[in-house]
Protein backbone atom coordinates (compact mmCIF):
# COMPACT_ATOMS: atom_id res chain seq x y z
CA UNK A 1 0.00 0.00 0.00
CA UNK A 2 3.03 2.29 0.32
CA UNK A 3 4.91 4.09 -2.42
CA UNK A 4 8.00 2.68 -4.16
CA UNK A 5 10.35 4.99 -2.24
CA UNK A 6 8.80 4.08 1.11
CA UNK A 7 8.97 0.37 0.26
CA UNK A 8 12.68 0.79 -0.51
CA UNK A 9 13.23 2.45 2.89
CA UNK A 10 11.31 -0.36 4.65
CA UNK A 11 13.28 -3.05 2.84
CA UNK A 12 16.52 -1.27 3.72
CA UNK A 13 15.51 -1.11 7.39
CA UNK A 14 14.44 -4.77 7.45
CA UNK A 15 17.89 -5.74 6.16
CA UNK A 16 19.52 -4.18 9.24
CA UNK A 17 16.82 -4.85 11.91
CA UNK A 18 16.30 -8.44 13.11
CA UNK A 19 13.46 -7.46 15.45
CA UNK A 20 11.32 -6.04 12.59
CA UNK A 21 12.12 -9.05 10.43
CA UNK A 22 10.77 -11.28 13.23
CA UNK A 23 7.56 -9.19 13.45
CA UNK A 24 7.16 -9.37 9.67
CA UNK A 25 7.62 -13.12 9.79
CA UNK A 26 4.84 -13.45 12.39
CA UNK A 27 2.57 -11.20 10.32
CA UNK A 28 3.11 -13.30 7.20
CA UNK A 29 2.39 -16.68 8.87
CA UNK A 30 -1.11 -18.03 9.47
CA UNK A 31 -2.55 -17.79 12.97
CA UNK A 32 -4.66 -20.50 14.59
CA UNK A 33 -7.30 -19.43 17.07
CA UNK A 34 -8.02 -21.46 20.18
CA UNK A 35 -10.92 -23.94 19.88
CA UNK A 36 -12.85 -22.10 22.58
CA UNK A 37 -12.61 -18.83 20.66
CA UNK A 38 -13.74 -20.52 17.44
CA UNK A 39 -16.74 -22.10 19.19
CA UNK A 40 -17.60 -18.78 20.80
CA UNK A 41 -17.47 -17.06 17.42
CA UNK A 42 -19.77 -19.74 15.96
CA UNK A 43 -22.27 -19.26 18.77
CA UNK A 44 -22.18 -15.51 18.34
CA UNK A 45 -22.69 -15.91 14.59
CA UNK A 46 -25.62 -18.30 15.14
CA UNK A 47 -27.11 -15.88 17.64
CA UNK A 48 -26.85 -13.01 15.18
CA UNK A 49 -28.50 -15.16 12.49
CA UNK A 50 -31.35 -16.01 14.90
CA UNK A 51 -31.81 -12.34 15.73
CA UNK A 52 -31.87 -11.49 12.01
CA UNK A 53 -34.41 -14.26 11.31
CA UNK A 54 -36.57 -13.16 14.25
CA UNK A 55 -36.42 -9.57 13.05
CA UNK A 56 -37.44 -10.65 9.55
CA UNK A 57 -40.37 -12.70 10.94
CA UNK A 58 -41.41 -9.80 13.14
CA UNK A 59 -41.45 -7.42 10.19
CA UNK A 60 -43.47 -9.90 8.09
CA UNK A 61 -45.92 -10.55 10.93
CA UNK A 62 -46.33 -6.82 11.46
CA UNK A 63 -47.01 -6.35 7.76
CA UNK A 64 -49.64 -9.15 7.74
CA UNK A 65 -51.25 -7.80 10.90
CA UNK A 66 -51.35 -4.28 9.47
CA UNK A 67 -52.86 -5.59 6.23
CA UNK A 68 -55.58 -7.45 8.13
CA UNK A 69 -56.37 -4.43 10.27
CA UNK A 70 -56.58 -2.25 7.16
CA UNK A 71 -58.90 -4.73 5.40
CA UNK A 72 -61.12 -5.00 8.47
CA UNK A 73 -61.28 -1.22 8.82
CA UNK A 74 -62.17 -0.76 5.13
CA UNK A 75 -64.76 -3.56 5.34
CA UNK A 76 -66.29 -2.04 8.47
CA UNK A 77 -66.48 1.38 6.85
CA UNK A 78 -68.11 -0.17 3.78
CA UNK A 79 -70.69 -1.99 5.92
CA UNK A 80 -71.44 1.21 7.83
CA UNK A 81 -71.85 3.07 4.53
CA UNK A 82 -74.18 0.41 3.11
CA UNK A 83 -76.11 0.16 6.38
CA UNK A 84 -76.65 3.90 6.62
CA UNK A 85 -77.05 4.92 2.97
CA UNK A 86 -78.07 1.82 0.95
CA UNK A 87 -79.78 -0.74 3.16
CA UNK A 88 -83.53 -0.17 3.07
CA UNK A 89 -84.58 -0.94 6.63
CA UNK A 90 -86.60 2.13 7.62
CA UNK A 91 -90.34 2.12 6.90
CA UNK A 92 -91.84 5.35 5.63
CA UNK A 93 -94.44 6.62 8.15
CA UNK A 94 -97.97 7.03 6.83
CA UNK A 95 -98.06 10.66 8.03
CA UNK A 96 -95.93 11.58 5.02
CA UNK A 97 -97.78 9.28 2.57
CA UNK A 98 -100.59 10.69 0.46
CA UNK A 99 -102.82 8.08 -1.26
CA UNK A 100 -105.30 9.08 -3.96
CA UNK A 101 -107.18 7.81 -7.01
CA UNK A 102 -107.78 4.27 -5.73
CA UNK A 103 -109.43 2.42 -8.63
CA UNK A 104 -109.54 -0.83 -10.58
CA UNK A 105 -108.28 -1.55 -14.05
CA UNK A 106 -110.28 -3.52 -16.59
CA UNK A 107 -108.03 -6.54 -16.03
CA UNK A 108 -108.90 -6.54 -12.32
CA UNK A 109 -105.72 -5.00 -10.93
CA UNK A 110 -106.06 -2.48 -8.13
CA UNK A 111 -104.24 0.79 -8.75
CA UNK A 112 -103.65 3.80 -6.55
CA UNK A 113 -101.44 6.86 -6.59
CA UNK A 114 -98.86 7.29 -3.84
CA UNK A 115 -96.92 10.46 -3.08
CA UNK A 116 -94.40 11.09 -0.31
CA UNK A 117 -94.84 14.61 1.00
CA UNK A 118 -91.55 14.96 2.88
CA UNK A 119 -89.36 15.34 -0.22
CA UNK A 120 -87.20 12.24 0.27
CA UNK A 121 -86.60 9.31 -2.05
CA UNK A 122 -88.14 5.87 -1.61
CA UNK A 123 -85.85 3.06 -2.70
CA UNK A 124 -88.00 -0.03 -2.18
CA UNK A 125 -91.58 -1.19 -1.60
CA UNK A 126 -91.65 -4.49 0.29
CA UNK A 127 -94.72 -6.74 0.38
CA UNK A 128 -95.73 -8.95 3.32
CA UNK A 129 -98.77 -11.23 3.66
CA UNK A 130 -99.71 -12.28 7.21
CA UNK A 131 -101.62 -15.38 8.27
CA UNK A 132 -104.93 -13.44 8.37
CA UNK A 133 -104.74 -12.51 4.70
CA UNK A 134 -103.63 -8.91 5.21
CA UNK A 135 -101.18 -7.81 2.52
CA UNK A 136 -98.92 -4.93 3.56
CA UNK A 137 -96.98 -2.97 0.95
CA UNK A 138 -94.33 -1.05 2.88
CA UNK A 139 -92.27 1.76 1.28
CA UNK A 140 -88.75 1.67 2.71
CA UNK A 141 -85.64 3.84 2.89
CA UNK A 142 -82.11 3.69 4.34
CA UNK A 143 -81.42 5.23 7.73
CA UNK A 144 -79.78 8.23 6.05
CA UNK A 145 -82.44 9.54 3.65
CA UNK A 146 -81.63 11.23 0.37
CA UNK A 147 -83.50 14.14 -1.15
CA UNK A 148 -85.30 13.31 -4.37
CA UNK A 149 -83.94 15.16 -7.37
CA UNK A 150 -87.17 14.72 -9.36
CA UNK A 151 -90.83 14.31 -8.48
CA UNK A 152 -91.00 10.75 -9.78
CA UNK A 153 -90.20 7.15 -8.90
CA UNK A 154 -91.59 5.24 -5.93
CA UNK A 155 -92.10 8.47 -4.03
CA UNK A 156 -94.62 9.79 -6.59
CA UNK A 157 -96.28 7.22 -8.85
CA UNK A 158 -99.15 4.78 -9.36
CA UNK A 159 -98.85 1.43 -7.61
CA UNK A 160 -100.71 -1.67 -8.81
CA UNK A 161 -101.61 -5.01 -7.21
CA UNK A 162 -103.07 -8.04 -8.91
CA UNK A 163 -104.98 -9.70 -6.08
CA UNK A 164 -106.28 -12.59 -8.21
CA UNK A 165 -102.83 -13.44 -9.52
CA UNK A 166 -101.31 -13.26 -6.03
CA UNK A 167 -104.07 -15.49 -4.60
CA UNK A 168 -103.56 -18.03 -7.38
CA UNK A 169 -99.84 -18.09 -6.67
CA UNK A 170 -100.36 -18.52 -2.92
CA UNK A 171 -102.84 -21.35 -3.56
CA UNK A 172 -100.49 -23.23 -5.89
CA UNK A 173 -97.02 -22.47 -4.55
CA UNK A 174 -97.34 -20.59 -1.25
CA UNK A 175 -99.05 -21.19 2.08
CA UNK A 176 -102.53 -21.00 0.57
CA UNK A 177 -103.43 -17.80 2.44
CA UNK A 178 -105.85 -15.69 0.39
CA UNK A 179 -105.65 -11.91 0.43
CA UNK A 180 -108.54 -10.28 2.26
CA UNK A 181 -107.20 -6.74 2.63
CA UNK A 182 -104.53 -4.54 1.10
CA UNK A 183 -102.71 -1.92 3.18
CA UNK A 184 -99.97 0.60 2.52
CA UNK A 185 -97.58 0.70 5.46
CA UNK A 186 -97.00 -1.70 8.35
CA UNK A 187 -99.35 -3.57 10.72
CA UNK A 188 -98.84 -0.80 13.30
CA UNK A 189 -98.97 2.14 10.89
CA UNK A 190 -101.15 1.55 7.84
CA UNK A 191 -103.52 3.00 5.26
CA UNK A 192 -106.34 0.80 3.95
CA UNK A 193 -106.33 0.52 0.15
CA UNK A 194 -108.80 -2.32 -0.37
CA UNK A 195 -110.56 -5.03 1.59
CA UNK A 196 -112.72 -7.97 0.59
CA UNK A 197 -116.23 -6.85 -0.45
CA UNK A 198 -115.15 -3.27 -1.24
CA UNK A 199 -116.31 -1.92 -4.62
CA UNK A 200 -113.73 0.25 -6.33
CA UNK A 201 -114.42 2.75 -9.12
CA UNK A 202 -113.15 1.99 -12.59
CA UNK A 203 -109.80 3.48 -13.44
CA UNK A 204 -109.78 6.55 -15.64
CA UNK A 205 -108.80 6.35 -19.30
CA UNK A 206 -105.48 8.02 -18.62
CA UNK A 207 -104.61 5.46 -15.94
CA UNK A 208 -105.72 2.61 -18.23
CA UNK A 209 -103.53 3.98 -20.99
CA UNK A 210 -100.59 4.38 -18.62
CA UNK A 211 -100.67 0.75 -17.48
CA UNK A 212 -101.41 -0.46 -20.99
CA UNK A 213 -98.34 1.35 -22.28
CA UNK A 214 -96.30 -0.15 -19.42
CA UNK A 215 -97.48 -3.63 -20.43
CA UNK A 216 -96.59 -2.99 -24.09
CA UNK A 217 -93.14 -1.76 -23.03
CA UNK A 218 -92.55 -4.92 -20.98
CA UNK A 219 -93.72 -7.14 -23.85
CA UNK A 220 -91.49 -5.42 -26.42
CA UNK A 221 -88.74 -7.81 -27.60
CA UNK A 222 -85.17 -6.74 -26.84
CA UNK A 223 -83.36 -4.90 -29.59
Amino acid sequence: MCSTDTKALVDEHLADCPDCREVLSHMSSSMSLPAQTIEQNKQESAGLQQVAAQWSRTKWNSFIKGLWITCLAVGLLFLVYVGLFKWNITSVPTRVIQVSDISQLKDGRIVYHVKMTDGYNVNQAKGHLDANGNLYLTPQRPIIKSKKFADMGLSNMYYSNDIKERNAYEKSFGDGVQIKALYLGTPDDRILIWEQGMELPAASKSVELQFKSDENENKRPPE
Side-chain angles (χ1 to χ4, degrees), residues 13-27:
H13 175 76
L14 287 173
D16 297 331
C17 182
D19 293 335
C20 286
R21 287 198 300 272
E22 184 177 357
V23 172
L24 179 60
S25 176
H26 284 294
M27 291 175 62

Side-chain angles (χ1 to χ4, degrees), residues 146-177:
S146 60
K147 285 283 188 178
K148 59 183 180 181
F149 62 91
D151 204 15
M152 58 187 298
L154 292 177
S155 59
N156 184 25
M157 64 174 287
Y158 276 92
Y159 288 54
S160 69
N161 292 92
D162 195 331
I163 303 298
K164 291 183 179 180
E165 182 179 345
R166 181 66 181 265
N167 283 339
Y169 175 85
E170 290 295 332
K171 186 176 181 180
S172 301
F173 306 103
D175 298 329
V177 178

Side-chain angles (χ1 to χ4, degrees), residues 84-85 90 93 95 118 120-121 141-147:
L84 292 177
F85 294 92
T90 303
R95 56 184 172 80
D118 59 355
Y120 290 100
N121 279 322
R141 296 166 167 161
I143 295 175
I144 305 298
K145 300 177 291 187
S146 60
K147 285 283 188 178

Side-chain angles (χ1 to χ4, degrees), residues 94 97-102 112-115 184 191-193:
T94 57
I97 300 177
Q98 185 180 76
V99 180
S100 60
D101 200 12
I102 303 174
Y112 46 98
H113 188 270
V114 177
K115 182 175 182 179
L184 190 68
I191 299 173
L192 177 64
I193 303 298

Side-chain angles (χ1 to χ4, degrees), residues 90-94 96-97 116 118 121-122 138-141 185 189:
T90 303
S91 301
V92 180
T94 57
V96 300
I97 300 177
M116 311 300 164
D118 59 355
N121 279 322
V122 175
T138 308
Q140 293 182 320
R141 296 166 167 161
D189 183 24

Side-chain angles (χ1 to χ4, degrees), residues 183-200:
Y183 295 95
L184 190 68
T186 66
D188 300 323
D189 183 24
R190 61 191 185 182
I191 299 173
L192 177 64
I193 303 298
W194 168 88
E195 62 181 354
Q196 202 170 44
M198 179 185 291
E199 293 292 334
L200 297 178

